[in-house]
Amino acid sequence: MRTPLTIRIIQSMPKAGWAGLAAFALVAWVGIPLAHLALPESSPFHVSGYLLTLLGKILCYAVVAVAMDLIWGYAGILSLGHGLFFALGGYAFGMYLMRQIGREGSYQSDLPDFMVFLDWKELPWFWWNSDSLLWSLFLVVLIPGLLAWIFGYFAFRSRIKGVYFSIITQALTFAAMLLFFRNETGFGGNNGFTDFKRILGYSITSPEMRATLFALSATLLMGVLVLGRYLVSSKFGRVLAAIRDSESRVMFIGYQPLWYKLAIWTLSAVLCALAGALYVPQVGIINPSEMSPANSIEIAVWVAVGGRGTLIGAVLGAFIVNLAKSYFTVSFPEYWPFFLGFLFIAVTLFLPDGVVGLWRKLMGQRSAPLGPAASAGPPPADPVAIAKGAQS
Amino acid sequence: MTTVLDPGADRAGLNDPQNWQGPASSGRVLKPGELDLSHNVILYLEDICVSFDGFKAINNLNLTIDAGELRCIIGPNGAGKTTMMDVITGKTRPDSGKAFFGQTLDLTRLTEPEIAHLGIGRKFQKPTVFENHTVFENLELAMKTDKRVWRSMLAALLDDERDRISDTLKLIRLAGEADRRAGLLSHGQKQWLEIGMLLMQDPRLLLLDEPVAGMTDDETERTAELFVSLAGKHSLMVVEHDMAFVEALGGKVTVLHEGSVLAEGDLATVQADPRVIEVYLGR
């Protein structure tokens, strides 16, 4: 007798986890949207448009962090180029948003403004069907997924690992950024896409649309958490952790690590792209700076702060760092880089298992055997140790 | 066709699938890739030569292992024991000679994973288990099953698979440690866990390279009991320096020296052989 899949999905998370998820769903689907839509602005519980968008944005970041944790924490692959997949997802959906502007742009043309500015007469071929929502959602999954698959296939087949893999991903996102900076590439050059008006004909700045996008982001995050928890508690997750710890041994007992790594890598990229597609309508802009290497490094910092190999830690890390960021960049804008640097050093030195590790230590729990690679070493959180690890 | 060991058979096209009439020796038709034990021999090595930069690690080695046999290989350092295992598992290609698994499977033409899949399992000197996984999970990962990605994502353990794991746990005396992290086991227990992982792959022939290195006397004794109980169902080839252990195993002993077989027989006969004494004590 096999345990049915649904039962295994339910069993993959402890009861407290499901309870937390239900509470989160209640707040994100009912509480916060109502507080935004129904309460008057004078009410102390009113959620402003600014706050709602900020939280929605961080929910998207949290999805990216979980996707990062899946490959870094469980498979030991540190990507420093995940911002690329996030941005590609954003661009793919941004194309649809640009077409939804219609003739309301500055030039009153059917073409997006930047194309008129470049004196283009018709849409480039890759903008084909970009006014279809379904097609653009398909592209959101296809393009980043395909790129990740091809890149991953060659990288993993050549057994590129550790810090070398990280550097190549960093170079990949940098190269893509330079490509997208060019006007001729056809994605708006350094201005990217902005000035969006509507989705499916509904205004993008209306409170209802904001609340909907927020709720969708929360739904995506919950879905990703459930999926991630199932995967890491399945045999697939155990094989990944085994590959992380001793790849040659895994090959020797008959598994082909290439396909395992490729599966989790591509999945992670697609999850990032979905988050990017939800992020762009909420912040109202996508430009090549999203592909800058620093952005991708920040993703790794979120996960390190929260605690690798825990999934929930990635969510916490994304919230802690980004809430701190939005506080600092408003109150003391000049000190934010120092704070980020301090945070990274402090976490590396004092909290190698992140916030979740600290919590577990305080509660006197042992870490789960497969979760945080914590106790037994690989993969280390700080770059120096990663570099060392790559040589060993 | 007279024999598949005939090198001319390939050129004459006799090994092509359309000319395949089954082994000459038996009426039963084998599926391709199936182990043919019709002569009751599981491993043939004939005139194997391997040299590294002119150094002859293996020099005209001839060795056969019967199905179900427990064979010990001894020999001084550099006698070619590990290289011989490398040839059998496909890690090293011989310069010349034949290596067959059963009657029909040419080991010199198969890759490492193919050979592992056909049923030759190998345990290395240093125990390598997955330290962050529990003992149970180590065995689960090693179990012979469909190892493709989507199966691993969706599959759950069947009841009889669970039974196999718990049988193996009992066999390697780790039933009480099933949920312990493998990294916390003692050295001897890790060696056993690795033997257990090897057994989970359901191999026909086990190659064991110094399996009792670092074990206590008590553990060594129990390992010997385990191997003796495995013989018959599996064939075992054990490389070992510990003579007390070799004696406890009680099987036929082959002495390797400078890449070829120096003597073969039971331990007492071999130990009385003047050439063996010369090799071990003469220098």
Side-chain angles (χ1 to χ4, degrees), chain A residues 229-250:
Chain A
R229 179 52 61 194
Y230 169 73
L231 283 180
V232 301
S233 65
S234 71
K235 190 181 167 196
F236 176 73
R238 290 192 282 280
V239 176
L240 279 184
I243 291 172
R244 176 192 72 195
D245 296 345
S246 170
E247 185 166 343
S248 56
R249 186 81 178 90
V250 174

Side-chain angles (χ1 to χ4, degrees), chain A residues 10 27 41 55 85 135 145 156 168 174 258-259 266-267 273 277 357 390:
Chain A
I10 291 168
V27 172
E41 281 189 29
L55 290 176
F85 304 118
W135 175 252
F156 298 138
I168 292 176
F174 189 67
L258 169 66
W259 305 117
T266 308
L267 177 73

Side-chain angles (χ1 to χ4, degrees), chain B residues 137-265:
Chain B
E137 287 167 345
N138 267 279
L139 295 179
E140 182 208 9
L141 287 176
M143 183 163 56
K144 186 175 187 174
T145 179
D146 191 336
K147 290 180 174 171
R148 281 174 295 177
V149 173
W150 64 278
R151 290 302 306 161
S152 298
M153 279 187 184
L154 296 175
L157 282 177
L158 293 164
D159 280 348
D160 60 330
E161 289 175 331
R162 267 178 208 289
D163 291 346
R164 271 196 63 202
I165 293 175
S166 57
D167 288 348
T168 306
L169 279 170
K170 278 182 209 129
L171 198 63
I172 58 174
R173 297 169 197 257
L174 288 175
E177 321 280 337
D179 293 324
R180 245 179 124 195
R181 271 188 29 197
L184 302 174
L185 297 177
S186 74
H187 183 79
Q189 285 175 317
K190 281 184 193 167
Q191 295 270 34
W192 276 356
L193 176 56
E194 207 187 348
I195 293 165
M197 290 169 74
L198 204 55
L199 291 174
M200 289 307 291
Q201 295 170 63
D202 204 14
R204 306 299 294 268
L205 174 64
L206 286 100
L207 308 179
L208 300 138
D209 205 347
E210 300 194 22
V212 295
M215 281 192 185
T216 64
D217 288 352
D218 184 44
E219 286 170 333
T220 303
E221 204 174 297
R222 290 203 224 153
T223 308
E225 284 168 24
L226 173 65
F227 287 1
V228 170
S229 73
L230 291 175
K233 193 177 165 221
H234 306 270
S235 314
L236 292 89
M237 184 197 266
V238 183
V239 166
E240 193 47 73
H241 289 296
D242 182 339
M243 284 304 155
F245 180 66
V246 172
E247 195 175 0
L249 291 178
K252 204 166 156 189
V253 177
T254 298
V255 186
L256 289 192
H257 177 55
E258 292 177 348
S260 44
V261 174
L262 185 70
E264 208 163 76

Side-chain angles (χ1 to χ4, degrees), chain B residues 23-55:
Chain B
S25 49
S26 81
R28 200 167 67 93
V29 177
L30 287 165
K31 279 182 243 150
E34 195 176 325
L35 182 62
D36 178 6
L37 294 178
S38 54
H39 285 281
N40 203 33
V41 172
I42 195 158
L43 183 74
Y44 284 100
L45 299 178
E46 198 180 313
D47 293 330
I48 298 275
C49 290
V50 178
S51 55
F52 300 115
D53 297 329
F55 169 71

